[in-house]
Coordinates of all heavy atoms in Angstrom, one line a residue:
V58 N -35.3 -1.1 -80.7 CA -36.4 -0.5 -80.0 C -37.7 -1.0 -80.6 O -37.9 -0.9 -81.8 CB -36.4 1.1 -80.0 CG1 -37.6 1.7 -79.3 CG2 -35.1 1.6 -79.4
S59 N -38.6 -1.5 -79.8 CA -39.9 -2.0 -80.4 C -40.9 -0.8 -80.5 O -40.9 0.0 -79.7 CB -40.5 -3.0 -79.4 OG -41.8 -3.3 -79.8
T60 N -41.6 -0.8 -81.6 CA -42.6 0.2 -81.8 C -43.8 0.0 -80.9 O -44.6 0.9 -80.6 CB -43.1 0.4 -83.2 OG1 -43.7 -0.8 -83.6 CG2 -41.9 0.7 -84.2
Q61 N -44.1 -1.3 -80.5 CA -45.2 -1.7 -79.8 C -46.5 -1.1 -80.4 O -47.4 -0.6 -79.8 CB -45.1 -1.2 -78.3 CG -44.0 -1.9 -77.6 CD -43.9 -1.6 -76.1 OE1 -44.6 -0.7 -75.6 NE2 -43.0 -2.3 -75.4
N62 N -46.5 -1.2 -81.7 CA -47.7 -0.8 -82.5 C -48.0 0.7 -82.4 O -49.1 1.1 -82.5 CB -48.9 -1.6 -82.2 CG -48.7 -3.0 -82.6 OD1 -48.2 -3.3 -83.7 ND2 -49.2 -3.9 -81.8
R63 N -47.0 1.5 -82.1 CA -47.1 3.0 -82.1 C -45.9 3.6 -82.8 O -44.8 3.1 -82.9 CB -47.0 3.4 -80.6 CG -48.2 3.0 -79.8 CD -48.0 3.3 -78.3 NE -49.2 3.3 -77.6 CZ -49.9 2.2 -77.3 NH1 -49.5 1.1 -77.7 NH2 -51.0 2.3 -76.5
P64 N -46.1 4.8 -83.4 CA -45.0 5.4 -84.1 C -44.0 5.9 -83.1 O -44.3 6.2 -82.0 CB -45.7 6.6 -84.8 CG -46.9 6.9 -84.0 CD -47.4 5.5 -83.5
L65 N -42.7 6.0 -83.6 CA -41.6 6.5 -82.8 C -41.0 7.7 -83.5 O -40.9 7.7 -84.7 CB -40.5 5.5 -82.7 CG -40.9 4.1 -82.1 CD1 -39.7 3.2 -82.2 CD2 -41.4 4.2 -80.7
V66 N -40.7 8.8 -82.7 CA -40.1 10.0 -83.3 C -38.7 10.1 -82.6 O -38.6 10.2 -81.4 CB -40.9 11.2 -83.0 CG1 -40.2 12.5 -83.6 CG2 -42.3 11.1 -83.6
F67 N -37.7 10.1 -83.4 CA -36.3 10.2 -82.9 C -35.7 11.5 -83.4 O -35.9 12.0 -84.5 CB -35.4 9.1 -83.6 CG -35.6 7.7 -83.0 CD1 -36.5 6.9 -83.6 CD2 -34.9 7.3 -81.9 CE1 -36.8 5.6 -83.1 CE2 -35.2 6.0 -81.4 CZ -36.1 5.2 -82.0
M68 N -34.9 12.1 -82.4 CA -34.1 13.3 -82.8 C -32.8 13.2 -82.0 O -32.8 13.3 -80.8 CB -34.9 14.6 -82.4 CG -34.1 15.8 -82.8 SD -34.9 17.4 -82.5 CE -35.0 17.4 -80.8
P69 N -31.7 13.1 -82.7 CA -30.4 13.1 -82.1 C -30.1 14.5 -81.5 O -30.5 15.5 -82.1 CB -29.4 12.7 -83.2 CG -30.1 13.0 -84.4 CD -31.5 12.9 -84.2
L70 N -29.3 14.6 -80.4 CA -29.0 15.9 -79.8 C -27.6 16.3 -80.0 O -27.4 17.5 -80.3 CB -29.4 15.8 -78.3 CG -30.8 15.4 -78.0 CD1 -31.0 15.2 -76.5 CD2 -31.8 16.5 -78.5
D71 N -26.6 15.5 -79.8 CA -25.3 16.0 -79.8 C -24.4 15.3 -80.8 O -23.2 15.5 -80.8 CB -24.7 15.9 -78.4 CG -24.6 14.5 -77.8 OD1 -25.1 13.5 -78.5 OD2 -24.1 14.3 -76.7
G72 N -24.9 14.4 -81.6 CA -24.1 13.7 -82.6 C -25.1 13.0 -83.5 O -26.3 12.8 -83.1
G73 N -24.7 12.6 -84.7 CA -25.6 11.9 -85.6 C -25.9 10.5 -85.1 O -25.2 9.9 -84.4
V74 N -27.0 10.0 -85.6 CA -27.4 8.6 -85.4 C -27.9 8.0 -86.7 O -28.3 8.7 -87.6 CB -28.6 8.5 -84.3 CG1 -28.1 9.0 -83.0 CG2 -29.9 9.1 -84.8
T75 N -27.8 6.7 -86.7 CA -28.4 6.0 -87.8 C -29.5 5.1 -87.3 O -29.3 4.4 -86.3 CB -27.3 5.1 -88.5 OG1 -26.2 5.9 -89.0 CG2 -27.9 4.3 -89.6
L76 N -30.7 5.3 -87.9 CA -31.8 4.5 -87.6 C -31.9 3.4 -88.7 O -31.8 3.6 -89.9 CB -33.1 5.3 -87.7 CG -33.2 6.5 -86.7 CD1 -34.5 7.2 -87.0 CD2 -33.2 6.0 -85.3
S77 N -32.2 2.1 -88.2 CA -32.4 1.0 -89.2 C -33.7 0.3 -88.8 O -33.9 0.0 -87.6 CB -31.2 0.1 -89.1 OG -30.0 0.7 -89.4
C78 N -34.5 0.1 -89.8 CA -35.7 -0.7 -89.6 C -36.1 -1.4 -90.9 O -35.4 -1.3 -91.8 CB -36.9 0.2 -89.1 SG -37.4 1.5 -90.2
D79 N -37.2 -2.1 -90.8 CA -37.6 -2.9 -92.0 C -37.7 -2.1 -93.3 O -37.4 -2.6 -94.4 CB -39.0 -3.5 -91.8 CG -39.0 -4.5 -90.6 OD1 -37.9 -5.0 -90.3 OD2 -40.1 -4.8 -90.1
G80 N -38.0 -0.8 -93.2 CA -38.2 0.0 -94.4 C -36.9 0.6 -94.9 O -36.9 1.3 -95.9
G81 N -35.8 0.4 -94.2 CA -34.5 1.0 -94.6 C -33.8 1.7 -93.5 O -34.1 1.6 -92.3
D82 N -32.7 2.4 -93.9 CA -31.9 3.1 -92.9 C -32.0 4.6 -93.2 O -32.2 5.1 -94.3 CB -30.4 2.7 -93.1 CG -30.2 1.2 -92.8 OD1 -31.0 0.6 -92.2 OD2 -29.2 0.7 -93.3
A83 N -31.7 5.4 -92.1 CA -31.7 6.9 -92.2 C -30.6 7.4 -91.3 O -30.6 6.9 -90.1 CB -33.0 7.5 -91.9
T84 N -29.8 8.3 -91.7 CA -28.8 8.9 -90.9 C -29.2 10.3 -90.6 O -29.5 11.1 -91.5 CB -27.4 8.9 -91.5 OG1 -27.0 7.5 -91.7 CG2 -26.3 9.5 -90.6
L85 N -29.3 10.6 -89.3 CA -29.8 12.0 -88.9 C -28.6 12.8 -88.3 O -27.9 12.2 -87.4 CB -30.9 11.8 -87.9 CG -32.1 11.0 -88.3 CD1 -33.1 10.9 -87.1 CD2 -32.8 11.7 -89.5
A86 N -28.5 14.0 -88.6 CA -27.6 14.9 -88.0 C -28.3 15.5 -86.7 O -29.5 15.3 -86.6 CB -27.3 16.1 -88.9
P87 N -27.5 16.1 -85.8 CA -28.1 16.6 -84.6 C -29.3 17.6 -85.0 O -29.2 18.4 -85.9 CB -27.0 17.4 -83.9 CG -25.8 16.7 -84.4 CD -26.1 16.3 -85.8
F88 N -30.4 17.4 -84.2 CA -31.6 18.2 -84.3 C -32.5 17.9 -85.6 O -33.4 18.6 -85.8 CB -31.4 19.6 -84.1 CG -30.7 19.9 -82.8 CD1 -29.4 20.3 -82.8 CD2 -31.3 19.7 -81.6 CE1 -28.7 20.5 -81.5 CE2 -30.7 19.9 -80.4 CZ -29.4 20.3 -80.4
E89 N -32.1 16.9 -86.4 CA -33.0 16.4 -87.5 C -33.9 15.4 -86.8 O -33.5 14.8 -85.8 CB -32.2 15.8 -88.6 CG -31.4 16.8 -89.4 CD -30.7 16.1 -90.6 OE1 -30.4 15.0 -90.5 OE2 -30.5 16.9 -91.6
A90 N -35.0 15.2 -87.4 CA -36.0 14.2 -86.8 C -36.5 13.2 -87.8 O -36.5 13.6 -89.0 CB -37.1 14.9 -86.1
A91 N -36.9 12.1 -87.3 CA -37.5 11.1 -88.2 C -38.6 10.3 -87.5 O -38.5 10.1 -86.3 CB -36.4 10.1 -88.7
V92 N -39.6 9.9 -88.2 CA -40.7 9.2 -87.7 C -40.5 7.7 -88.2 O -40.4 7.5 -89.4 CB -42.1 9.7 -88.1 CG1 -43.2 8.8 -87.6 CG2 -42.2 11.2 -87.6
V93 N -40.5 6.8 -87.2 CA -40.6 5.4 -87.6 C -42.0 4.9 -87.4 O -42.6 5.0 -86.4 CB -39.6 4.6 -86.6 CG1 -39.8 3.1 -86.9 CG2 -38.2 5.0 -86.8
P94 N -42.6 4.4 -88.5 CA -44.0 4.0 -88.4 C -44.2 2.8 -87.5 O -43.3 2.0 -87.4 CB -44.4 3.7 -89.9 CG -43.1 3.4 -90.5 CD -42.0 4.2 -89.8
A95 N -45.4 2.7 -86.9 CA -45.7 1.6 -86.1 C -45.5 0.3 -86.8 O -45.1 -0.7 -86.2 CB -47.1 1.7 -85.5
A96 N -45.8 0.2 -88.1 CA -45.7 -1.0 -88.9 C -44.3 -1.5 -89.0 O -44.1 -2.7 -89.4 CB -46.3 -0.7 -90.3
A97 N -43.3 -0.7 -88.7 CA -41.9 -1.2 -88.7 C -41.6 -2.2 -87.7 O -40.7 -3.0 -87.8 CB -41.0 0.0 -88.6
N98 N -42.4 -2.3 -86.6 CA -42.3 -3.3 -85.5 C -41.0 -3.0 -84.7 O -41.2 -2.9 -83.5 CB -42.3 -4.7 -86.0 CG -43.6 -5.1 -86.6 OD1 -44.6 -4.8 -86.0 ND2 -43.5 -5.8 -87.7
R99 N -39.9 -2.9 -85.2 CA -38.6 -2.6 -84.5 C -37.7 -1.7 -85.3 O -37.7 -1.7 -86.5 CB -37.9 -3.9 -84.2 CG -38.6 -4.9 -83.3 CD -37.7 -6.0 -82.9 NE -36.5 -5.6 -82.1 CZ -36.6 -5.2 -80.8 NH1 -37.8 -5.2 -80.2 NH2 -35.5 -4.8 -80.1
C100 N -36.8 -1.0 -84.6 CA -35.8 -0.3 -85.2 C -34.6 -0.3 -84.3 O -34.7 -0.5 -83.1 CB -36.2 1.1 -85.6 SG -36.3 2.2 -84.2
T101 N -33.4 -0.1 -84.9 CA -32.2 0.0 -84.1 C -31.7 1.4 -84.2 O -31.9 2.1 -85.3 CB -31.1 -1.0 -84.5 OG1 -30.8 -0.8 -85.8 CG2 -31.6 -2.4 -84.3
V102 N -31.0 1.9 -83.2 CA -30.4 3.2 -83.2 C -28.9 3.1 -82.9 O -28.6 2.4 -81.9 CB -31.0 4.1 -82.1 CG1 -30.5 5.6 -82.2 CG2 -32.5 4.1 -82.2
A103 N -28.1 3.7 -83.7 CA -26.6 3.6 -83.4 C -26.0 5.0 -83.7 O -26.4 5.7 -84.6 CB -26.0 2.6 -84.3
A104 N -25.0 5.3 -82.9 CA -24.3 6.6 -83.1 C -23.6 6.5 -84.5 O -23.0 5.5 -84.8 CB -23.3 6.8 -82.0
A105 N -23.8 7.5 -85.3 CA -23.2 7.5 -86.7 C -21.7 7.4 -86.6 O -21.1 6.8 -87.5 CB -23.7 8.7 -87.4
S106 N -21.1 8.0 -85.6 CA -19.6 8.0 -85.6 C -19.0 6.8 -84.8 O -17.8 6.8 -84.7 CB -19.2 9.3 -84.9 OG -19.6 9.3 -83.5
G107 N -19.8 5.9 -84.3 CA -19.3 4.8 -83.6 C -19.2 5.1 -82.1 O -19.0 4.3 -81.3
E108 N -19.4 6.4 -81.7 CA -19.3 6.8 -80.3 C -20.8 6.8 -79.8 O -21.7 6.4 -80.5 CB -18.8 8.3 -80.2 CG -17.4 8.4 -80.8 CD -16.3 8.0 -79.9 OE1 -16.5 8.2 -78.7 OE2 -15.3 7.5 -80.4
R109 N -20.9 7.2 -78.6 CA -22.3 7.4 -78.0 C -22.9 8.7 -78.5 O -22.2 9.7 -78.7 CB -22.2 7.4 -76.5 CG -21.7 6.0 -75.9 CD -21.7 6.1 -74.5 NE -23.0 6.1 -73.9 CZ -23.4 5.8 -72.7 NH1 -22.5 5.5 -71.8 NH2 -24.6 5.9 -72.3
A110 N -24.2 8.7 -78.7 CA -24.9 9.9 -79.1 C -26.3 9.9 -78.3 O -27.0 9.0 -78.4 CB -25.2 9.9 -80.6
A111 N -26.5 11.1 -77.7 CA -27.8 11.2 -77.0 C -28.9 11.6 -78.0 O -28.6 12.2 -79.0 CB -27.7 12.4 -76.0
F112 N -30.1 11.1 -77.8 CA -31.2 11.4 -78.7 C -32.5 11.4 -77.9 O -32.6 10.9 -76.7 CB -31.3 10.3 -79.8 CG -31.6 8.9 -79.3 CD1 -32.9 8.5 -79.1 CD2 -30.6 8.0 -79.0 CE1 -33.1 7.2 -78.7 CE2 -30.8 6.7 -78.6 CZ -32.1 6.3 -78.4
T113 N -33.5 12.1 -78.4 CA -34.8 12.1 -77.8 C -35.7 11.1 -78.6 O -35.5 10.9 -79.8 CB -35.5 13.4 -78.0 OG1 -34.7 14.4 -78.6 CG2 -36.1 14.0 -76.8
L114 N -36.5 10.4 -77.8 CA -37.5 9.5 -78.4 C -38.9 9.8 -77.9 O -39.1 9.9 -76.6 CB -37.1 8.0 -77.9 CG -38.2 6.9 -78.1 CD1 -38.5 6.8 -79.6 CD2 -37.7 5.6 -77.6
V115 N -39.8 10.0 -78.8 CA -41.1 10.4 -78.4 C -42.1 9.3 -79.0 O -41.9 9.0 -80.2 CB -41.5 11.8 -79.0 CG1 -43.0 12.1 -78.6 CG2 -40.6 12.8 -78.5
T116 N -43.0 8.8 -78.2 CA -43.9 7.8 -78.7 C -45.2 7.9 -77.8 O -45.1 8.2 -76.6 CB -43.4 6.4 -78.6 OG1 -44.3 5.5 -79.2 CG2 -43.0 6.0 -77.2
P117 N -46.4 7.7 -78.4 CA -47.6 7.7 -77.6 C -47.5 6.4 -76.7 O -47.0 5.4 -77.2 CB -48.7 7.6 -78.6 CG -48.1 7.8 -79.9 CD -46.7 7.6 -79.8
V118 N -47.9 6.5 -75.5 CA -47.8 5.3 -74.6 C -49.1 4.9 -74.0 O -50.1 5.7 -74.0 CB -46.8 5.6 -73.4 CG1 -45.4 5.8 -73.9 CG2 -47.3 6.8 -72.6
D119 N -49.2 3.7 -73.6 CA -50.4 3.2 -73.0 C -50.1 3.0 -71.5 O -50.1 1.9 -71.0 CB -50.7 1.8 -73.6 CG -52.1 1.3 -73.1 OD1 -52.9 2.1 -72.6 OD2 -52.2 0.1 -73.2
G120 N -49.9 4.1 -70.8 CA -49.6 4.1 -69.4 C -48.1 4.0 -69.0 O -47.3 3.6 -69.9
Q121 N -47.8 4.4 -67.8 CA -46.4 4.4 -67.4 C -45.8 3.1 -67.3 O -44.6 2.9 -67.7 CB -46.3 5.1 -66.0 CG -46.2 6.6 -66.0 CD -45.8 7.2 -64.7 OE1 -45.5 6.5 -63.8 NE2 -45.8 8.5 -64.6
E122 N -46.5 2.1 -66.9 CA -45.9 0.7 -66.8 C -45.5 0.2 -68.2 O -44.4 -0.3 -68.3 CB -46.9 -0.2 -66.2 CG -46.3 -1.6 -65.9 CD -47.3 -2.5 -65.2 OE1 -47.9 -2.0 -64.2 OE2 -47.5 -3.6 -65.6
S123 N -46.3 0.4 -69.2 CA -45.9 0.0 -70.5 C -44.7 0.8 -71.1 O -43.8 0.2 -71.7 CB -47.1 0.0 -71.4 OG -47.0 0.9 -72.5
F124 N -44.7 2.1 -70.7 CA -43.6 2.9 -71.2 C -42.3 2.5 -70.5 O -41.2 2.4 -71.1 CB -43.9 4.4 -70.9 CG -42.9 5.3 -71.4 CD1 -42.4 5.3 -72.7 CD2 -42.4 6.3 -70.6 CE1 -41.5 6.2 -73.2 CE2 -41.4 7.2 -71.1 CZ -41.0 7.2 -72.4
A125 N -42.4 2.2 -69.2 CA -41.2 1.8 -68.5 C -40.6 0.5 -69.1 O -39.4 0.3 -69.2 CB -41.5 1.6 -67.0
G126 N -41.5 -0.4 -69.4 CA -41.1 -1.7 -70.1 C -40.4 -1.5 -71.4 O -39.5 -2.1 -71.7
Q127 N -40.9 -0.5 -72.1 CA -40.3 -0.2 -73.4 C -38.9 0.4 -73.3 O -38.0 0.0 -74.0 CB -41.2 0.8 -74.2 CG -40.8 1.0 -75.6 CD -41.7 1.9 -76.4 OE1 -42.7 2.5 -75.9 NE2 -41.5 2.0 -77.7
L128 N -38.8 1.3 -72.3 CA -37.5 1.8 -72.0 C -36.5 0.8 -71.5 O -35.3 0.8 -71.9 CB -37.6 3.0 -71.0 CG -38.3 4.2 -71.4 CD1 -38.5 5.2 -70.2 CD2 -37.7 4.9 -72.6
L129 N -36.9 -0.1 -70.7 CA -36.1 -1.2 -70.2 C -35.7 -2.1 -71.3 O -34.5 -2.5 -71.5 CB -36.9 -2.0 -69.1 CG -36.0 -3.0 -68.3 CD1 -34.9 -2.3 -67.5 CD2 -37.0 -3.7 -67.3
A130 N -36.6 -2.4 -72.2 CA -36.3 -3.3 -73.4 C -35.3 -2.6 -74.3 O -34.5 -3.3 -75.0 CB -37.6 -3.6 -74.1
A131 N -35.3 -1.3 -74.3 CA -34.4 -0.5 -75.2 C -33.0 -0.4 -74.6 O -32.1 0.1 -75.2 CB -34.9 0.9 -75.4
G132 N -32.8 -0.9 -73.3 CA -31.5 -0.9 -72.7 C -31.2 0.1 -71.7 O -30.1 0.2 -71.1
L133 N -32.2 0.9 -71.3 CA -32.0 1.9 -70.2 C -32.0 1.2 -68.9 O -32.7 0.2 -68.7 CB -33.1 2.9 -70.2 CG -32.9 4.1 -71.2 CD1 -33.1 3.7 -72.6 CD2 -33.8 5.3 -70.8
E134 N -31.2 1.7 -68.0 CA -31.1 1.1 -66.6 C -32.3 1.5 -65.8 O -32.9 2.5 -65.9 CB -29.8 1.7 -66.0 CG -28.5 1.3 -66.7 CD -27.3 2.1 -66.2 OE1 -27.5 3.1 -65.5 OE2 -26.2 1.7 -66.5
Q135 N -32.7 0.5 -65.0 CA -34.0 0.7 -64.2 C -34.0 1.9 -63.4 O -35.0 2.6 -63.3 CB -34.2 -0.6 -63.4 CG -35.6 -0.5 -62.6 CD -36.7 -0.6 -63.6 OE1 -36.8 -1.5 -64.4 NE2 -37.7 0.4 -63.4
H136 N -32.8 2.2 -62.7 CA -32.8 3.4 -61.9 C -33.0 4.7 -62.7 O -33.6 5.7 -62.2 CB -31.5 3.5 -61.0 CG -30.3 3.9 -61.8 ND1 -29.5 3.0 -62.5 CD2 -29.7 5.1 -61.9 CE1 -28.5 3.7 -63.1 NE2 -28.6 4.9 -62.7
R137 N -32.5 4.8 -63.9 CA -32.8 5.9 -64.8 C -34.2 6.0 -65.2 O -34.8 7.1 -65.2 CB -31.9 5.9 -66.0 CG -30.4 6.0 -65.7 CD -29.6 6.2 -66.9 NE -28.2 6.3 -66.7 CZ -27.5 7.4 -66.4 NH1 -28.2 8.5 -66.3 NH2 -26.2 7.4 -66.1
I138 N -34.8 4.9 -65.4 CA -36.3 4.9 -65.8 C -37.1 5.4 -64.6 O -38.0 6.2 -64.8 CB -36.7 3.5 -66.2 CG1 -36.0 3.0 -67.5 CG2 -38.2 3.4 -66.4 CD1 -36.1 1.6 -67.8
D139 N -36.8 4.9 -63.4 CA -37.5 5.3 -62.2 C -37.4 6.8 -62.0 O -38.3 7.5 -61.7 CB -37.1 4.5 -61.0 CG -37.4 3.0 -61.1 OD1 -38.3 2.6 -61.9 OD2 -36.7 2.2 -60.4
E140 N -36.1 7.2 -62.1 CA -35.9 8.7 -61.9 C -36.7 9.5 -62.9 O -37.3 10.5 -62.5 CB -34.4 8.9 -62.0 CG -33.9 10.4 -61.8 CD -32.4 10.5 -61.9 OE1 -31.7 9.6 -61.5 OE2 -32.0 11.5 -62.5
F141 N -36.7 9.1 -64.1 CA -37.4 9.9 -65.2 C -38.9 9.9 -64.9 O -39.6 10.9 -64.9 CB -37.2 9.3 -66.5 CG -38.0 9.9 -67.6 CD1 -37.6 11.2 -68.1 CD2 -39.1 9.3 -68.2 CE1 -38.4 11.8 -69.1 CE2 -39.8 9.8 -69.2 CZ -39.5 11.1 -69.6
L142 N -39.5 8.7 -64.5 CA -40.9 8.6 -64.4 C -41.4 9.3 -63.1 O -42.6 9.6 -63.0 CB -41.4 7.2 -64.4 CG -41.2 6.5 -65.8 CD1 -41.6 5.0 -65.7 CD2 -42.0 7.2 -66.8
R143 N -40.6 9.5 -62.1 CA -41.0 10.2 -60.9 C -41.5 11.6 -61.1 O -42.3 12.1 -60.3 CB -39.8 10.3 -59.9 CG -39.7 9.1 -59.0 CD -38.8 9.4 -57.8 NE -37.4 9.6 -58.2 CZ -36.5 8.6 -58.3 NH1 -36.9 7.4 -58.0 NH2 -35.3 8.8 -58.7
Q144 N -41.1 12.2 -62.2 CA -41.6 13.6 -62.5 C -43.0 13.7 -62.9 O -43.6 14.8 -63.0 CB -40.7 14.3 -63.5 CG -40.7 13.7 -64.8 CD -39.6 14.3 -65.8 OE1 -39.4 15.5 -65.7 NE2 -39.1 13.5 -66.7
F145 N -43.7 12.5 -63.2 CA -45.1 12.6 -63.7 C -46.1 12.1 -62.7 O -46.0 11.3 -61.9 CB -45.2 11.7 -64.9 CG -44.3 12.1 -66.0 CD1 -43.1 11.4 -66.3 CD2 -44.5 13.2 -66.8 CE1 -42.3 11.8 -67.4 CE2 -43.7 13.6 -67.8 CZ -42.6 12.9 -68.1

């Protein structure tokens, strides 16, 4: 996930995740949170158990188009992005 020069806040929901970025790695249990600084440029997120794990990602955005591009680059399917953004 690219930071796009903005901080990222991650919180796993139903399983642990491991965040990896230039500054190191962190493993989070469900409902723990971590901030990835904008200076990290990129980070990867992986389920700690090797399975899939849902998580929340919060970041300041520069409009919906840029946010949609960030979600697409992170691997979300276009129809899910469209469905999510329709609520705003």
Side-chain angles (χ1 to χ4, degrees):
V58 177
S59 171
T60 64
Q61 297 185 353
N62 297 317
R63 291 173 165 70
L65 306 174
V66 179
F67 286 93
M68 183 176 66
L70 301 174
D71 60 359
V74 300
T75 299
L76 299 175
S77 301
C78 63
D79 295 340
D82 301 337
T84 300
L85 304 174
F88 304 109
E89 290 183 331
V92 176
V93 175
N98 295 318
R99 295 193 61 75
C100 73
T101 59
V102 184
S106 66
E108 303 279 325
R109 294 179 70 164
F112 62 88
T113 354
L114 167 61
V115 179
T116 185
V118 296
D119 185 22
Q121 276 193 2
E122 187 174 313
S123 118
F124 185 49
Q127 188 174 9
L128 293 175
L129 192 60
L133 273 73
E134 298 168 346
Q135 185 65 54
H136 76 276
R137 292 188 183 273
I138 295 169
D139 295 340
E140 183 178 319
F141 174 74
L142 292 177
R143 269 195 294 271
Q144 65 186 325
F145 301 105

